[in-house]
Amino acid sequence: MASTPSSAPRALLRPMVARGRDESHRAASPLELFFDLCFVVAVAQAGMSLVHAVAENHAGQGVLNYAMVFFAIYWAWVNFSWFSSAYDNDDALFRVVTLVQMAGVLVLAAGVSEAFDHHFFVLWLGYLIMRLAMVTQWLRAATGCTGDERGMALRYATGIALCQVGWLSLLLLPEEGRPWAFLVMVIAELCVPAVAEHRHSTTWHPHHISERYGLFTIIVLGESISAATVAVKSAVDEHNELGRLIPISIGGLLIVFAGWWIYFVVPVQGRLRSNRQAFLWGYGHYLILGSAAAIGSGIEICVEHTVGKTHISQLAANASVTVPTAVYLVIVWWLLARYYKAGTAQQLVLPVTTLLVLACTFAGEWAVLAAGLVLTATITVGVTLAARPPSRRRGGQAVG
């Protein structure tokens, strides 16, 4: 059951004060779940645009555009989620401002395909709506506190506002300068939390924030399944190629299922004890979430290649699945799994799997199925190693 700041009848307005980091039974609220669902639209649009770019043999530019757009999606979600973990009071004003942010997400989603064609105005407008709402939340938090905490809230509001002005560079600079401007702005955005919290830290909740990231990961993996399913159905309806699509369908499903298993087998919240640990973990999820969404796009590309709708080689189509899968595996191992491994054998499972998945790129039309079977074997090996008697291992948590 989702928690609320108080069991008393809900007031129209409550003071926005920091919630306790040790608060018991803290879980995602219905509003947060609703907020997350709006991002499904944006993630789906980014994945669809990546499919079109790669299928037309513009993989380099497509991946670059995808990386830029997905960061915009991810960072907007991050801004709200960490603030909400510390200051969600669930009153009427908090809800209304959050709904405004959700409207901004939908505007952003509407501008994703245009951003892949280097037209950023709609994307920037959606971001403007979200960031103005976020600044409003931080200014409201500042009115309810004093001292270092008030300074932190004001630095957040100022930093976010200045960064939003900086994003105007995507509209004003010539096309060749935009990737560099984007890189500068990414660095600026990532510095805002560090600067804002150098004297006082927000009281984000470890269990709550790990649950929020987990739920978003589920949404992204679900979107991968949805995109792949639609692609297979369309191919069968238009080209009647079910026999050739079965290996891709089975392999893709195994990859996504294994991705869920590997991510959720470890108790992450136990490691989130400081801002340094939490920020590194949170920032690293950009690669986890981005690669997870790209897996679905890769499966869709393989489907389209099988029915002759792409202008790329079989090897390139296979790489569109195996490369993001390998990125997902190595980042999950680096950020999560390696801390719960016991012994060399367990530590090597995911790194070795990553290499085997990349090797599957050269398996022709069977590449996706081969990668899926490799990941299935990985789960089996991981469970087997974790199930050994304690006398034969030093302890640790089961990880695929």
Side-chain angles (χ1 to χ4, degrees), residues 277-301:
Q277 292 172 323
F279 285 177
L280 176 63
W281 175 84
Y283 290 173
H285 269 72
Y286 164 68
L287 294 174
I288 291 178
L289 296 167
S291 59
I295 290 171
S297 299
I299 295 170
E300 189 172 351
I301 290 167

Side-chain angles (χ1 to χ4, degrees), residues 296-316:
S297 299
I299 295 170
E300 189 172 351
I301 290 167
C302 282
V303 170
E304 292 195 357
H305 178 79
T306 300
V307 298
K309 293 176 63 176
T310 67
H311 300 90
I312 58 176
S313 66
Q314 181 70 61
L315 189 67

Side-chain angles (χ1 to χ4, degrees), residues 128-204:
L128 176 65
I129 295 170
M130 289 186 289
R131 305 311 285 283
L132 288 177
M134 195 72 257
V135 169
T136 300
Q137 297 278 42
W138 277 114
L139 290 176
R140 186 183 175 203
T143 63
C145 56
T146 59
D148 287 342
E149 184 181 2
R150 176 179 171 82
M152 175 202 66
L154 292 175
R155 284 191 294 273
Y156 261 116
T158 302
I160 292 171
L162 289 176
C163 283
Q164 185 57 37
V165 173
W167 286 116
L168 277 171
S169 59
L170 294 182
L171 305 181
L172 303 178
L173 289 176
E175 186 174 316
E176 59 272 14
R178 290 173 184 172
W180 296 107
F182 188 91
L183 179 60
V184 171
M185 289 311 305
V186 167
I187 295 172
E189 291 279 5
L190 295 178
C191 287
V192 170
V195 172
E197 300 195 27
H198 77 280
R199 291 182 180 175
H200 184 91
S201 298
T202 53
T203 55
W204 47 268

Side-chain angles (χ1 to χ4, degrees), residues 83-105:
F83 175 86
S84 178
S85 188
Y87 288 101
D88 178 7
N89 66 356
D90 200 33
D91 67 2
L93 184 55
F94 178 86
R95 291 184 170 197
V96 168
V97 176
T98 301
L99 292 174
V100 171
Q101 288 179 272
M102 291 162 60
V105 174

Side-chain angles (χ1 to χ4, degrees), residues 43-63 65-66 112-113 116 223-224 226-228 230-232 293-305 309-312 316-317 320-321:
V43 170
Q45 290 297 313
M48 188 183 307
S49 298
L50 178 61
V51 170
H52 293 329
V54 175
E56 293 299 322
N57 202 21
H58 303 303
Q61 189 63 49
V63 171
N65 291 338
Y66 175 79
V112 166
S113 59
F116 271 72
E223 172 55 32
S224 291
S226 175
V230 171
V232 171
I295 290 171
S297 299
I299 295 170
E300 189 172 351
I301 290 167
C302 282
V303 170
E304 292 195 357
H305 178 79
K309 293 176 63 176
T310 67
H311 300 90
I312 58 176
S320 68
V321 175

Side-chain angles (χ1 to χ4, degrees), residues 3 13 28 46 66 70 119 146 159 178 194 282 292 294 303 314 316 342 349 354 359 396:
S3 63
L13 292 177
Y66 175 79
F70 197 89
H119 303 298
T146 59
R178 290 173 184 172
V303 170
Q314 181 70 61
V349 170
T354 301

